[in-house]
Amino acid sequence: MSNVATFDTRTEAKIPVESPLAYSYRRSGAPAPTGKSRVVLRERPFLGHLILRGGAIVLDEAVRQVLGVSLPGEPQGLVHDADGERSIQWLSPDEWLVIVPGGEEFELENRLRAALGDAHFAISNAGGGQTLVELEGEAARELLMKSVIYDVHPSHFPVGKGVTTVFAKTTVILRRPAEDRWELVVRRSFADYTYRWLLDAGEEYGIGVER
Amino acid sequence: MSQLNRLARGGRIDRSRKLSFTFNGKRYQGHAGDTLASALLANGVDIVNRSFKYSRPRGIVAAGAEEPNAVVQLGKTEAGQVPNVRATQQALFDGLEARSTNGWPNVQRDMMSLVGKLGGKFMPPGFYYKTFMAPASMWMTYEKYIRKSAGLGRSPMESDPDIYDHLHQHCDVLVVGAGPAGLAAALAAARSGARVILVDEQEEMGGSLLDTRELLDDKPADQWVAEALKELAGLDNVTLLPRTTANGYHDHHFVTLHERRTEHLAETAPLKDGRRQVRSRMHRVRAGRVVLATGAHERPLVYANNDVPGNLLAGAVSTYVRRYGVVPGKRLVLSTSNDHAYRAALDWLESGHEVVAIADARANPDGELVEQARARGIRILPGSAVIEAKGENRVSGARVAKVDLDGFRVAGAAETLDCDTIASSGGYSPVIHLASHTGGRPTWRDDIFGFVPTLVKGVSAAGGAQGIYATGEVLADGVEAGRQAATEAGFSAASVSLPEVAVRRDGAAVGLFQVPHEKPTLRAPKQFVDLQNDVTAAGIEVATREGFESIEHVKRYTAMGFGTDQGKLGNINGMAIAARLLGRSIPEVGTTVFRPNYTPVTFGAIVGRHCRELFDPERYTAMHQWHVEHGAEFEDVGQWKRPWYFPRKVNGKTETMHEAVARECLAVREAVGILDASTLGKIDIQGPDAREFLGRVYTNKWAKLAPGRVRYGLMCKDDGMVFDDGTTSCLGENHFLMTTTSGGAATVLEWLELWHQTEWPELDVYFTSVTDHWATMTVTGPEARKLMAELTDIDLDKDAFKFMDWREGSVAGVPARVFRISFTGELAYEINVQANYALHVWEKLFAHGEKYGLTPYGTETMHVLRAEKGFIIAGQDTDGSVTPEDLGMQWAVGYDKPFSWIGQRALTRPDTARTDRKQLVGLKPRDAKVVLEEGAQIVFDPNHAIPMPMVGHVTSSYYSPTLDSGFALAVVKGGQQKMGETVYLPMADGQVHEAEIVSPIFLDPKGERQNV
Amino acid sequence: MFYIHCPYCGELREEEEFHPKGQAHIVRPADPAACSDDEWGDYLFFRDNPRGIHHELWVHAVGCRKFFNITRHTVTYEILETYKMGEQPRFTAEHPEGRPSQDGVDPASLREGVRA
């Protein structure tokens, strides 16, 4: 849709960047994982995040063509491409979250727009506004039980599921890409609160932060 | 002091582990496995408290959550103080320190007891209401006095060193109570594969099976308990939570559990593996199905002086003897209305102590237990009851007499039996508290003399909780409940083979609540109904005589069942007494409703981790660290932390807020300032109908806004009242970027979605929040263009890039969108960059800006600058009762738009169209030094008699360094037609300020400064 | 604390994720200018407060952000059904046990997303 202004908010120039957790590391520290850490936290900063809006039927073909995966049409669906680097997640009946390696998002947006042509859809870049935090380890699930109201029991939250839910007094997008790994998509302005909460609640499990 | 009441053998305590503790400053010893109550009884401590109102000595009555008297203050240290702990529920640990809640100077010798003795006459029910009613102004004083002498426990005055948390649990079947019914239910549900949580409030699971005389499969019952628990513990789908009380049952099977994780170990949680551990934890459980296996509480009989230490529940006697190896006396008299209580006498006898007699209210008691007692040679007095206890600080005798239950009178001469302990049992009350929380009114059953719960869908009661008491039947009922719950939750039923329990032949019980005395109730010695709240049978009689007929009113008048007790022992007796006095049946006087929480919950557990620095989220912008490093003071705007002002150190002295703000204001007006505006809400709007949609939700016109242009807009609700404002930029023909107020971002997005999803789904448009994606910095002031020119490739020529234009390009090497909008009235550029680059851009601006005097400013300066220009803040100058016309913003209203936009119709309603509505104006104080108070009320005539008609109030008020004067925005009735008139602001201190109504635009009314 | 089935997410979710938005099926008059002041006032301010079955508009605010309707019993707090925008309730004051299917308006015949 040429009537929409696209804008690459990234630059190739060597500009210092700060992830949403940069301030938190300096302020609250980042305890290194030890052999006794039953849960490990790891930020995956600067990924490309796009919000894709439109009808599932409209979007499905373009997504398959451009991303090589089919759009998860069922609620709470989360799919990854073959090498696990790119994912697309159902957020609502007309909203999906696409996460790709940092730097790919603008080209991806343009290719999707080209593939979608005149259809009614919207794509918004959200990469500066959120970050991905991974939790891994045997205590990850219990740490999440302290934090989110959603049922994270494996029978209710299998691999390949993702939800938006309440985290302490804020919200997160919670995803389970692998048996032993959870992902939290955290809004930038709430990242420090979320980080401090996880460190505090994870103390019992000797939480470590991988940087 | 030796444990004089401790048996040499028996019980579930570990005699090899001695624990020392102090109670009211005196040191005692107990054993691992004791509760504080069992240890106190072992040591022969009779008096544990003074009563709430009459200050009578009180001893331990029960062995569980229903204990009304032994409510203690726990804690050695100030920070470790915990009030309202039931000694019967507190596990003993080494070094435990506890004190009585009531009693001054101490429980043995209490000053208030004198009042209590006289108080029979002086403290009738309703005493507080009657005595302390007038004068009302003295109530605070009275209350302080009452609380001090009543002693409701005290909270610690120091910060709690412990940590607490919450755990969100989900399960298919929640089983509350791990006695025979609960264990059986849990086994049945767990074996079917359901996710099961089994919760029990006691130190050990097993409930009545831990002290029963009965055998399961010819083995002691606790062996079966151990096997059942072993199986449950080994199942992945089962969570066992001992020391955990289900305290509240909320909507849709949401149950709050309070787990005490370290309270049995020490006063403050000991370190575990070198790390802090959680002291108590609130489990917030969403259950699919719930089985209430909460058992029953024994009801005490209501006889004269039934509160003297040494009066216990019959079942509690058995529990202390069999579970804790403690016999709380030497010579026992039992008064009962049923067979089951006979076990107390048998247990007592087998411990090697004397049972003086059993007074049985039934004419011909003949059950199996009765026969056993008879065979052991215990004296049984049929048709009799204890009518009065003798003794003051400890029972010294029991007056027993024949009673005529139907005639409610003593039917023969009383005999005084020499004893030191009286056990009583009036039957059992199913524990229906949790079921009651769900709103179901309980049902009275005459066959069991008790209320059984009325249950909502998805809940079942099992065993004692629904009036089934025989162990074999309880187990079977539990299995059935567990199986049914699992089946309903979608699992297939599993088989559970039950242990053999010999069927005991029990004789029928009689209904006995208050025991008659030779004297009428009002003249007899006190017969207590609610021990914790000092409510007597006479009190209930007075209440009914004074016309309180509904049990809910009697409760409130007498305080029966109040507070932390929640009527566990007293409510049914109280209802029975009221019913008899009113000549009605118990269900006719009503039922009683129990409220959460079942037992007290500490604030720590309620708060969990939501305290201190995690009390509420603090939202930071990408430049937050810079603000901290540059000494910013912060202001809370919603959850955002925004720089308020940046005080500098001048000659070693830190500027005051007034000085800093004045400096910042002048910097913007004379040179250039910079504001972190990242907190503004930003919504990306795309779609062919985006423009049409904007036209419907904003008051002004959007049809012709071209790409590259920006427009200010007001948003109303359909009642015509302003609720948010901001600028929206046209990015492309079908693409807009809307900004909202910082606090309104989420509300506005939801508002747009509401209209789109429910009213205008035919409009093709999508809204996506991009608030956090962009960091926003406002560079503003006469020198702004020069500074920008050093860092951007955008053509800044005043005609190429006009006021209310936006352009894209790079700033400091970073892709940026720059908007020429101004909230200060000065030349301004609002730079938006992806937030990850923001700190770099911000620092580059300072590297280049120093020579222009670039000054960071905060929200306070922003407020002064915008108010000088008459720019409103939605939510400060508006309060949901202000229309665009009230604001004098007719220029932002599209009266002739084709679609009736949200709010338009309401503007012509009679009230909205009044000309004397409160309208936004400027106020210029007559005395330039005065800064009016925000919120101050405005009057036209200061000499008017009080109450003066109030005609408006100040909405924004500051000192303007540019004008060197105080100035304000205000809403004043009909103010727009009153320019130049004087209004008055009478203040609380008696001063009356004078101000002139002026235009709200104090500076540059033509807007020339921002247009350069 | 309710447990609410979001018809768009297809599962039960905690009340904390939702915002209540008042009575359901309040339609904005198509031509506001043609409304009398009284009619407009009714639309703005007057709402039912029944003891029993009530239809409410909610939004899955922390979730899919979709608006939908709930039929709730105001005494028992039981949620009898939740349904998407444009669909009609099965449970009403006239049909507390649920509307027989042949009697109802076919939800599919209504425009997707319309509140009324």
Side-chain angles (χ1 to χ4, degrees), chain B residues 704-723:
Chain B
K704 293 196 181 121
L705 187 71
R709 293 290 289 162
V710 187
R711 182 164 289 170
Y712 172 82
L714 273 179
M715 246 181 238
C716 286
K717 300 219 160 158
D718 234 342
D719 60 4
M721 304 302 157
V722 171
F723 92 101

Side-chain angles (χ1 to χ4, degrees), chain B residues 581-819:
Chain B
L581 293 164
L582 296 165
R584 298 183 193 158
S585 68
I586 289 176
E588 277 169 350
V589 294
T591 56
T592 184
V593 178
F594 303 96
R595 295 193 174 80
N597 285 320
Y598 176 66
T599 47
V601 182
T602 59
F603 280 110
I606 292 169
V607 167
R609 203 170 291 286
H610 298 279
C611 60
R612 302 190 179 106
E613 64 274 12
L614 292 171
F615 173 66
D616 202 41
E618 290 182 0
R619 299 179 71 180
Y620 300 143
T621 72
M623 292 81 96
H624 187 77
Q625 174 154 0
W626 191 95
H627 304 324
V628 173
E629 284 169 353
H630 289 77
E633 293 290 331
F634 289 92
E635 180 182 34
D636 292 337
V637 179
Q639 289 171 324
W640 288 102
K641 288 280 174 197
R642 296 194 69 178
W644 191 11
Y645 58 97
F646 291 84
R648 279 189 188 160
K649 268 210 159 111
V650 184
N651 303 328
K653 207 173 141 274
T654 306
E655 286 176 325
T656 63
M657 175 164 152
H658 180 81
E659 290 162 349
V661 170
R663 174 180 50 73
E664 291 171 13
C665 284
L666 292 173
V668 173
R669 294 273 180 243
E670 290 165 9
V672 58
I674 184 167
L675 174 79
D676 180 354
S678 307
T679 61
L680 287 180
K682 303 168 205 78
I683 300 170
D684 191 41
I685 304 176
Q686 298 179 27
D689 295 319
R691 191 181 290 277
E692 170 65 21
F693 195 93
L694 290 174
R696 296 184 185 188
V697 296
Y698 273 130
T699 59
N700 50 343
K701 295 183 188 177
W702 294 85
K704 293 196 181 121
L705 187 71
R709 293 290 289 162
V710 187
R711 182 164 289 170
Y712 172 82
L714 273 179
M715 246 181 238
C716 286
K717 300 219 160 158
D718 234 342
D719 60 4
M721 304 302 157
V722 171
F723 92 101
D724 208 85
D725 69 345
T727 60
T728 290
S729 307
C730 184
L731 302 182
E733 191 52 36
N734 296 343
H735 193 183
F736 294 83
L737 181 70
M738 176 186 280
T739 65
T740 73
T741 57
S742 299
T747 319
V748 170
L749 181 59
E750 194 173 289
W751 177 251
L752 303 179
E753 289 286 357
L754 170 70
W755 287 92
H756 184 223
Q757 292 179 34
T758 66
E759 288 287 347
W760 310 318
E762 70 279 5
L763 295 186
D764 281 341
V765 60
Y766 287 114
F767 313 96
T768 302
S769 168
V770 289
T771 300
D772 283 28
H773 177 69
W774 299 100
T776 305
M777 37 206 107
T778 304
V779 177
T780 180
E783 303 280 15
R785 185 175 281 121
K786 280 189 219 156
L787 169 56
M788 287 297 289
E790 293 192 19
L791 285 160
T792 184
D793 57 0
I794 298 170
D795 181 356
L796 299 174
D797 179 83
K798 72 179 170 57
D799 296 317
F801 189 2
K802 293 194 290 289
F803 181 55
M804 298 307 267
D805 278 348
W806 72 270
R807 294 289 179 266
E808 69 182 41
S810 83
V811 175
V814 174
R817 281 184 177 143
V818 180
F819 301 77

Side-chain angles (χ1 to χ4, degrees), chain B residues 338-367:
Chain B
N338 61 78
D339 275 17
H340 194 64
Y342 274 70
R343 70 193 186 110
L346 295 169
D347 292 334
W348 188 279
L349 194 68
E350 283 166 16
S351 76
H353 292 75
E354 183 185 350
V355 177
V356 179
I358 298 176
D360 193 322
R362 299 170 297 179
N364 296 298
D366 62 350

Side-chain angles (χ1 to χ4, degrees), chain B residues 836-851:
Chain B
N836 293 335
Y837 296 116
L839 193 58
H840 161 79
V841 175
W842 182 268
E843 285 176 339
K844 278 280 176 209
L845 284 164
F846 275 95
H848 289 255
E850 201 176 343
K851 55 183 168 294

